[in-house]
Structure formats: C-alpha cells, structure tokens
Amino acid sequence: MTVGMDQADRHGHRPKGHSMQSASPRGRREKGAAPKISKGDFAPKDTENSSAVVSIETFKYTPAYFARWKVSASDWLLLLVISMAAVIVRCYKLSNPANVVFDEVHFGKFAGKYLNSTYFFDLHPPLAKMMFAAVGRLAGYDGVFDFKSIGLDYIAANVPYVAMRLMPALLGAATVPATYATVRACGYAMDTAALAALLVCVENGLVTQSRLILLDSPLVFFTVLTLLCWSMFWTVQDRPFSRTWWAWLLATGLTMGCAASCKWVALFLIPTIGLSTLHDLWDKIADQSLSPARWSMHFGARAIALICVPVAVYIGWFYVHFAMLSTTGGDAAALSPEFQVTLDGAKQMVTDRDVYYGSEIRMRTTNARSGFLHSHLHPWQHDKGSGQQQVTIYSYADANNVWIIEPAYNMTVDTSQGLVPVRSGDVLRLRHKTTGRFLHSHDKRPAMSSDKNKFELSGYGFTNFSGDSNDNFRVDILEGDPAMQGSATELQSIYSRFRLVHTNLNCMVFNSRKKLPKWAFGQIEVNCMHNCLPRMSTWHVEHAFHPNTTADAPVRKASYRRLSVLGKIWEYNKLMADSNENLSGDHPFAARPQHWPWLRRGTAYWGGPGRLIYQLGNPLIWWGSLAALAVFATVRMVLFLLDKRRIRPQLGGQRNMYFSGAGFFALAWTCHYVPFFLMGRELFTHHYFPALWMAIMVLAFTVDLVTCRLPRLLRSAVYVAVAAAVLHAFHTFSYITYARTWTKDACLRAKWLPTWDLDCEHAVGGLKGTVPPVAEPVLEVDSKLENGVDQAAPKAADQMPNDPNYVQPEFVNLPLDNGSGSGDKMIQPQLVQVPPADNDAQAHNEL
C-alpha cells in the first residue's frame, strides 16, 4: 500500500505520484539518501522489465515520494459531521429492546463474573469482556443478574444495560471517522473518503452488531484502528526513526495487540501487516544508499513494534484478566490441577506420593481438559458394544473414580517384605472399588467410533469370578518430575506421567474427548486405541491411598505445583485453541464462508410481537464490495498481461494509486476471509465483519477509479447516486436493525432473497400474533469442555434416572471372555437396594 497525498488534478481533488507493484506500501526515500524522483520518472519505460514502474537498471532503487496528509479545516469539519452522524446511527433507540439479546447471554454474564472475581472460561481473549465489565461497574452493575436466557427483562432487574451497550455503540461509531482518515491517508480526495465513511456508517450488519453487548464491535474498532495507524505510518517514510515515525509504527503494534486481545479473528492482521512489511524490507535491500547497518535498524524497529509490542499487549491483558478472576468457579474443572490451585477457594490436593499394589487411586488425564477415569453401574447401550459396565471420563471427583491396583490375572505379588511399589513395565489390573469390576477391553467397537483401531473399555466381572487376561494392562511411565527422584521408574502420584497399555490388544487407554449420549449421562468417552498420540493417552495419579500404611512408617506426600502467570496464559490459550478447533454443533443460523459475501442469510437475534432483530447487512454494500473485489482482480490480471506486451495503461493516471490502496486492502480482505475455509468449526456471518470493512475500502477506491476522468459534476452525481441507494437500503432494513415495529408489507419488501428467513406472518398484519422464532445463543464454550457434567445436578450424574438411590447389582456367572468379546454379554442383574454412592470425602477421609 502506498499512502500519502500530492497536488490536486484538474478537478482539485486528484492526488498524483503514487507507485505500487504489489499490495505492500512503498516508503519515501530517507532524507539525504538521494534526490527525489520527478513525476516524469513514473512514465512507462521501454525496458526489458516493462512490468516495473521504474527501471531498476536505470534508477537502482526508486521508491515513490509522497507528501504527508495535512489535515485541512475542511477535513476537520467533515470529520465532525461524520462523527455526529455515526453516533446518531449507532445510538438511536439504544434501549430498545430492554431484554437480553442473542449472545448478550454470554458476554453480559462474563462481565458479572469479572465484577465478582469468579473464574470462568471463554474461548475468546479477555479485553472486550473486561471493557464491558469496566463500563458495567461505572454504571452501577453489581454482577448479580445472570443473563441466563434471551428475553430476560433488564429494567425489572435494574441492569444498566444501556450504558453497557453504549460502549460498543461508540466504538462502532468511531470506525466511521477512522475510515475517512484511512482513505485520506491513502491519498484519496475528501469525496472518496466521505463515501467510504458513509458506507461503513449505514452498513446494517455493523450497526446491529455494535448496538449490543457483543465482542465484534471492539474487534472491528481495533482492526480499523490498526490499519489506520499503518496507513499513517506510510505517510512519514521520508523521516525514518523520527518521533512521528515511531509513534505510528508503535501505535500499529499496540492496536494490533488490542485487536487480538478481543477475538482471535484479529490474528489475520499478522499476515496482512507482515506481508506488507516483508515487501517493504525487500525493496529496501535494493536501495544502494541504505547501508546494511541502516537496513538492520529498519528491520529491528519493525520487529520490536510489530512483534514484541503486540505480544506484550496480549500478555498484559491476560495478566489483568487473571488478576480480576481470582476465585475458583465451575469452569475451573476444565483446567489442569496446577492451574486450579492458583485460584482462591480451590481444593489444595495433598496425597500419598508412592503408589503400591493394593493402593486405592484416582487417575486423571494429563491435559488441559482434565477428567477422571470413571465407572458406574450402567451398561453400554450402543449396538456395537458388549453391554458391559460403562467406563467413562468424568470431570468431578467422586467415589466412582476410585480404582484399586491388583496384580495381573493369575499373578501374585510378594508382600511379605512390605508394600510393593508399582514400577514402569509392570502388568496389573485395576478393580473399580464401588462395583468390584475390573477395567477391561476386548475386540468390541466403542460407542462413538467404528474405527478398527479403537476398542471398547468396560467394567467386567461378577461374584466369585477372578477375571481373565483381558483385564491386564501394562504401566509405561513416559516421564517423571526431575525434582522427584524415582518418579520416572516407580509410579508416584502427581509426578509420574504414564500410559496404560492393554497387553492382549496392544492398545492404549485413550481420551477421545467425545461426548457420550444421554444414556451415558453425557460424560466423555474413553476407549483403547492403537497408535494414539501421547497427549490424549497420558495419565497421572492424582490421589493415592493404601489402607495398610501405618503411623510408624512416615508417608511421603505429593502436591501440585502452582503455575506461574505465564504458565496459566499458555495453558489457557491452548485450551482456547482446542475449544475453537472443536466447536461444533447444528446451530440453525450457522453459515459457511462461501455464503458470507453473497449475504445468503442473516441471524435472528431477538423477537417480539411485530418486532425483530435480524442481523442482516446492507445488501447493496455487501454485493457492491464483492463486485469491487472482482473488478480489482480482473484489472490487475489484465494489466499484468498487458505489461508483458510492453503496454502500460495508466487508468486515467490513477493506476499506481489504485493498485496501492485497493491492492493492500484486497490483500487484507483475502487474509481475513480465505482462512475460514480451512476451519471445521461452526461459523457465523459476523465472522466476516473485519473482512467486510476491507472490502468496503476496495469498493470506495473502485468507485473513485471508475469516475476519475469524469467531469466534476457528473462524478459528484455518481457519488450522490451511490449514497442515495445505500441510504434507501439502510432504511428498508432499519426495521430489523433497530427492532422497529413493522407491517407484513414492509417485511415482504425487505425480503429480497428467498434464503432470508424472515417470517413476515409475525409482523403486524400477519397471520401469527406470537413472538417470531429467534436463534439460541451461540455455544461459546465447547460442549466437550463440560466433560459430561450434569449441569442440573453435577454430583448426581451417576444415579439411575428414575431411582434416587444408588443400586448395587448381584451378577450371575458369566462365561469367560475368550479375548474376542463374544463371551462378555452382561446378564440382567438382580438389583439390591443400597445407600446412595459415597462421595470422596466419605470414601477416603484424606480427601
């Protein structure tokens, strides 16, 4: 992108002297480095390298020279008018509706969590949510209102929701003058800048998103601010390392860090700014007046401002995040124990360090999404299964997570000399303490997979049955704690990381992370898998207790080490990445990227009698910006081919400036749009908003190009016609932007495409007088994160659905397992009433 302004053309508004061969900005020549290049130097050159703007052979290194944008009184006046209009558009009837709307369910609730210092997990970075919390605190919000469902009344609960909505509304309004300034910094005239600002101001989708307690308005604001600062940085290239130069460069890094701290969509700014920077540094290598030391200074300055500063800002906001969320909460169960012990109110685990045959243990998966190896008195019910007792992963500690280590089938351990420690390579069995069955695997497929490399894990056994060889597992210790001697060879609680390998099938006990059906209480599947990665097949013992330990022999204890703040940031971000990657579902308003630019459909956010908030963009702006991108790609390709024929059309004298501005923002659009095609997670139309703003910039530049040689009056008429068209469309769809009461006729007029699922029968005059259907909130936290927790009664997830008491069965004899699973059929037990399942505190006094 080349930015800057020069003298006006014959209409008094056309900058000249722009040069660009790619989407990267090209800076001014440093002071004293070489004489300026005259405008004649930008005429076509009849050289072998005819595609170059200037012959490298003649000039060696010939960057364009641009004057800085000098803000005039007219600019200030226009900025003031634009800003006032933007505030009016964003804040009009901001209190309407006075109910919880769409994902305000999540982000309003998170603001309350900050105010109450209660830990929560969200798959987005914290900055935007902390901004909502700060505004809520200033407005008097106490954090008690829970935002638990769409439609809850704010006024009855005395929630300062207007103030909380005002923050994103003002940020959304600020993107409008920022758009004007960016266009001006790119060298365009005031009319083009005003047109671009108008397009952003009346884009219905951006308006809708900025009027609610949602994260996208802060995201778009910081994204626009980043590209504005980057554009301004390129207007001061004749004064490298000056205060102004440093200010704009550092501001770019600062705002980029803030954007990434709102939502990870802003990470696409990295390739956008990065490719531009690499192009610029590559060009500077050709400048023979620039010494290697000077070039290194340019490289170092950009590395500090565009890498170190954003990373420091991102980490800094997480420091604030963890400082505010100091008290443990329900979401902490998804984190590692080392993370959990840093929170106030969290249970500080202290357990026996050494693990022996006969020890009662609780095993935990060793990854951020932790859970316990678990079993309960319910059979597998899938068609491929054995019908034996379920073995799962469960998030919470209870008595059904306790297993007893016993020798392998038909093997004994000599305990005459005392307790025998479990060592790496030992073959053993795990007996479930509550039900008495052994952990078992066989040639049966698990519930959630038909892969032949995966096998069902079950609980197998009955009265007077000693088990069989399919109960045997080998303990392979992968690593120990370097500070704990022997933890890599002998099994130690907390410090030893190990895998359980089934000796017959040679498969590893594996956390599939798949949520089981309701008949398994929505817990997480665990199976036995061949050739699985260590990350999801590594376990550690969190709690160990041997009933034969005595006070005469002191028992060595183990406990989790507290994570540092950087360690917490690293783990939290890994969990965020995992949650984003695995976010899936069947949300009725989800949309894939190929549908976004066409505006195939919107999202119903809220509904009332005769009113609706339906997040739908301004169709003329969406379709026009897509057409502008196609025009740019076509013009760029045609001119590339003509350049090879030594034909260099100048596009009315605007070739270089058009390729500079439109080229850079087309690159930015590509970086912010194409990567979504690689994502398998659930996506929505609002993910397109940053890319939409960049496409609008290309649209404004394309309108400028098309009208650049028209008489001034005719050019102005075209601009007025474009403005009138988008204003008309904005008004047409304002009913669903502002939740205005509309009639059936107004609804039908707004339904331009049949794929827009607007139910006009719910409008005034329609056949239905009920509230129209709206979307459920987006599941911001991956369903797998809950690890099978029954949210209504998490501690009772293992009880029979129709029986409040735990039931202990008595089994009749079963045939031995022959290794294929054919003899593993579970006979219907005779149920005998027993007291409810003990919790861990009852099962083990140590917990």
Side-chain angles (χ1 to χ4, degrees):
M1 182 182 72
T2 309
V3 294
M5 295 189 64
D6 207 320
Q7 58 186 355
D9 70 352
R10 63 190 178 89
H11 292 310
H13 57 259
R14 182 64 48 210
K16 296 181 180 179
H18 295 265
S19 174
M20 175 72 180
Q21 290 117 57
S22 77
S24 176
R26 308 198 60 178
R28 304 183 199 169
R29 200 158 202 68
E30 296 189 16
K31 285 187 176 180
K36 300 176 184 176
I37 300 169
S38 66
K39 294 176 184 175
D41 293 332
F42 294 98
K45 302 291 179 180
D46 189 13
T47 63
E48 286 294 321
N49 187 17
S50 59
S51 64
V53 177
V54 184
S55 172
I56 293 178
E57 297 168 343
T58 304
F59 296 99
K60 302 301 181 185
Y61 176 71
T62 54
Y65 174 82
F66 304 107
R68 290 184 299 279
W69 170 36
K70 297 179 180 178
V71 185
S72 66
S74 299
D75 282 313
W76 286 116
L77 179 60
L78 199 49
L79 278 169
L80 177 62
V81 173
I82 288 172
S83 300
M84 293 175 61
V87 170
I88 293 172
V89 168
R90 258 59 176 185
C91 297
Y92 173 72
K93 290 189 175 181
L94 196 59
S95 60
N96 183 33
N99 307 100
V100 176
V101 176
F102 195 50
D103 277 355
E104 290 185 337
V105 164
H106 298 300
F107 305 121
K109 174 182 66 179
F110 294 152
K113 297 281 190 180
Y114 279 114
L115 298 181
N116 294 324
S117 301
T118 303
Y119 177 82
F120 68 89
F121 173 79
D122 181 42
L123 51 78
H124 300 299
L127 176 56
K129 298 187 289 287
M130 290 192 296
M131 293 169 67
F132 283 118
V135 172
R137 171 59 63 84
L138 293 174
Y141 175 46
D142 57 8
V144 174
F145 185 73
D146 58 9
F147 293 84
K148 66 180 179 181
S149 63
I150 294 176
L152 287 182
D153 193 332
Y154 283 133
I155 296 177
N158 197 29
V159 179
Y161 72 101
V162 176
M164 296 177 73
R165 287 178 179 175
L166 181 62
M167 186 270 288
L170 293 178
L171 294 181
T175 61
V176 177
T179 300
Y180 177 91
T182 304
V183 175
R184 290 289 279 156
C186 290
Y188 283 85
M190 286 190 294
D191 54 357
T192 302
L195 177 64
L198 176 65
L199 296 176
V200 173
C201 183
V202 299
E203 204 299 291
N204 295 73
L206 292 175
V207 174
T208 301
Q209 209 74 5
S210 65
R211 291 169 47 82
L212 302 170
I213 306 173
L214 303 175
L215 305 185
D216 297 276
S217 185
L219 166 69
V220 173
F221 169 75
F222 284 116
T223 299
V224 171
L225 210 58
T226 299
L227 296 180
L228 169 60
C229 294
W230 188 239
S231 300
M232 293 302 298
F233 170 70
W234 285 103
T235 66
V236 292
Q237 291 304 294
D238 63 331
R239 297 190 298 167
F241 307 107
S242 65
R243 290 183 180 179
T244 306
W245 186 92
W246 272 111
W248 287 120
L249 183 60
L250 291 172
T252 301
L254 177 66
T255 52
M256 184 160 57
C258 289
S261 299
C262 292
K263 291 183 77 171
W264 273 1
V265 174
L267 293 178
F268 298 139
L269 286 169
I270 295 175
T272 302
I273 302 296
L275 290 173
S276 178
T277 301
L278 290 175
H279 182 272
D280 172 56
L281 292 174
W282 180 253
D283 277 352
K284 288 188 184 310
I285 293 177
D287 186 356
Q288 295 183 354
S289 68
L290 204 64
S291 67
R294 189 73 168 175
W295 186 91
S296 298
M297 291 173 63
H298 278 280
F299 177 86
R302 287 159 174 78
I304 291 171
L306 303 179
I307 299 176
C308 297
V309 169
V311 170
V313 169
Y314 185 81
I315 292 175
W317 287 122
F318 268 100
Y319 266 87
V320 178
H321 170 77
F322 290 126
M324 295 179 68
L325 301 180
S326 57
T327 305
T328 189
D331 289 350
L335 299 165
S336 70
E338 293 85 352
F339 192 117
Q340 293 184 44
V341 297
T342 65
L343 301 173
D344 296 339
K347 193 171 187 177
Q348 304 298 313
M349 175 60 63
V350 178
T351 185
D352 293 358
R353 192 195 75 174
D354 300 306
V355 180
Y356 305 101
Y357 285 91
S359 289
E360 300 175 3
I361 65 171
R362 188 167 64 227
M363 289 171 46
R364 188 178 196 128
T365 59
T366 306
N367 57 71
R369 196 161 286 179
S370 300
F372 299 98
L373 187 66
H374 179 91
S375 188
H376 45 227
L377 190 64
H378 306 296
W380 286 119
Q381 298 180 21
H382 58 290
D383 295 337
K384 307 181 296 293
S386 63
Q388 294 178 8
Q389 182 171 295
Q390 297 173 11
V391 175
T392 64
I393 291 175
Y394 184 55
S395 296
Y396 290 88
D398 71 11
N400 284 326
N401 302 336
V402 179
W403 302 80
I404 301 173
I405 298 177
E406 296 190 358
Y409 175 65
N410 281 342
M411 299 292 291
T412 60
V413 174
D414 183 8
T415 58
S416 61
Q417 302 300 317
L419 301 179
V420 178
V422 177
R423 295 181 173 87
S424 183
D426 282 3
V427 177
L428 48 74
R429 294 183 296 174
L430 293 176
R431 179 165 58 87
H432 191 240
K433 182 179 180 182
T434 306
T435 63
R437 295 188 181 84
F438 289 106
L439 182 67
H440 183 91
S441 190
H442 42 214
D443 191 13
K444 290 283 187 180
R445 300 285 78 77
M448 306 302 291
S449 175
S450 298
D451 189 339
K452 292 183 178 181
N453 289 313
K454 296 179 180 179
F455 305 93
E456 179 188 78
L457 277 180
S458 65
Y460 182 59
F462 45 87
T463 304
N464 299 322
F465 174 61
S466 59
D468 63 30
S469 62
N470 276 340
D471 302 335
N472 290 346
F473 290 84
R474 185 178 70 251
V475 176
D476 287 346
I477 297 179
L478 302 178
E479 63 179 354
D481 190 323
M484 290 297 162
Q485 185 177 1
S487 60
T489 56
E490 293 187 358
L491 189 60
Q492 295 182 2
S493 298
I494 296 177
Y495 305 129
S496 299
R497 302 297 194 249
F498 64 91
R499 303 173 89 176
L500 284 178
V501 183
H502 193 265
T503 55
N504 287 348
L505 297 173
N506 197 33
C507 57
M508 278 71 74
V509 177
F510 176 76
N511 175 12
S512 75
R513 300 183 294 167
K514 294 180 179 178
K515 192 171 183 178
L516 290 163
K518 290 183 179 180
W519 50 257
F521 307 99
Q523 296 176 9
I524 300 302
E525 182 195 50
V526 59
N527 57 47
C528 199
M529 181 179 177
H530 284 153
N531 305 316
C532 54
L533 296 176
R535 179 170 177 258
M536 290 301 164
S537 60
T538 302
W539 300 77
H540 67 273
V541 174
E542 180 175 276
H543 168 75
F545 166 76
H546 199 290
N548 292 340
T549 56
T550 64
D552 298 335
V555 178
R556 290 172 289 191
K557 296 295 183 179
S559 61
Y560 289 110
R561 293 186 175 88
R562 296 169 63 91
L563 279 181
S564 66
V565 177
L566 287 177
K568 291 168 66 175
I569 293 172
W570 176 252
E571 178 177 319
Y572 194 96
N573 278 265
K574 286 198 300 182
L575 185 55
M576 287 167 53
D578 196 36
S579 299
N580 275 285
E581 179 183 355
N582 293 289
L583 182 63
S584 59
D586 53 356
H587 197 287
F589 288 94
R592 294 303 300 171
Q594 61 267 27
H595 300 145
W596 298 345
W598 302 100
L599 200 59
R600 183 177 180 272
R601 68 183 307 204
T603 306
Y605 278 4
W606 176 88
R611 296 189 298 159
L612 178 68
I613 294 181
Y614 188 88
Q615 188 270 306
L616 185 73
N618 188 315
L620 297 185
I621 295 175
W622 286 57
W623 299 337
S625 61
L626 180 62
L629 289 163
V631 168
F632 170 79
T634 302
V635 171
R636 192 69 185 88
M637 180 59 67
V638 169
L639 265 62
F640 174 79
L641 297 175
L642 291 177
D643 287 347
K644 292 300 181 183
R645 303 286 298 173
R646 300 185 182 182
I647 303 172
R648 293 190 50 80
Q650 294 304 303
L651 303 181
Q654 305 310 308
R655 169 181 173 136
N656 298 322
M657 186 169 67
Y658 179 65
F659 282 176
S660 170
F664 175 74
F665 285 101
L667 169 68
W669 176 86
T670 303
C671 292
H672 282 75
Y673 175 60
V674 173
F676 284 108
F677 286 93
L678 307 177
M679 299 181 187
R681 59 153 288 179
E682 198 170 45
L683 297 169
F684 298 86
T685 306
H686 61 253
H687 288 110
Y688 185 64
F689 283 150
L692 172 65
W693 180 83
M694 297 155 196
I696 290 173
M697 297 290 285
V698 178
L699 173 59
F701 297 156
T702 302
V703 172
D704 179 273
L705 176 70
V706 171
T707 62
C708 66
R709 306 314 298 174
L710 295 178
R712 185 169 186 175
L713 186 60
L714 183 56
R715 170 186 165 92
S716 298
V718 172
Y719 275 55
V720 170
V722 172
V726 298
L727 284 169
H728 173 73
F730 173 76
H731 178 266
T732 299
F733 298 99
S734 65
Y735 294 95
I736 56 178
T737 299
Y738 297 107
R740 297 170 57 198
T741 301
W742 65 347
T743 63
K744 180 179 178 180
D745 290 340
C747 177
L748 292 173
R749 286 195 300 269
K751 198 168 184 177
W752 292 5
L753 294 181
T755 54
W756 295 350
D757 38 11
L758 300 169
D759 189 351
C760 296
E761 296 301 332
H762 287 281
V764 175
L767 298 177
K768 303 175 183 177
T770 59
V771 175
V774 298
E776 289 298 318
V778 177
L779 184 61
E780 290 294 338
V781 179
D782 186 1
S783 60
K784 297 171 187 173
L785 179 64
E786 298 175 5
N787 280 357
V789 177
D790 184 342
Q791 296 299 314
K795 296 302 183 183
D798 291 340
Q799 295 173 0
M800 292 290 287
N802 299 318
D803 189 345
N805 293 325
Y806 200 87
V807 178
Q808 176 70 43
E810 293 182 356
F811 289 95
V812 299
N813 288 342
L814 298 179
L816 292 178
D817 187 351
N818 61 13
S820 66
S822 59
D824 288 353
K825 184 177 180 181
M826 177 176 280
I827 305 299
Q828 275 290 63
Q830 177 183 356
L831 300 181
V832 180
Q833 195 74 22
V834 298
D838 292 336
N839 57 32
D840 270 311
Q842 295 169 325
H844 301 299
N845 294 330
E846 292 75 21
L847 291 183

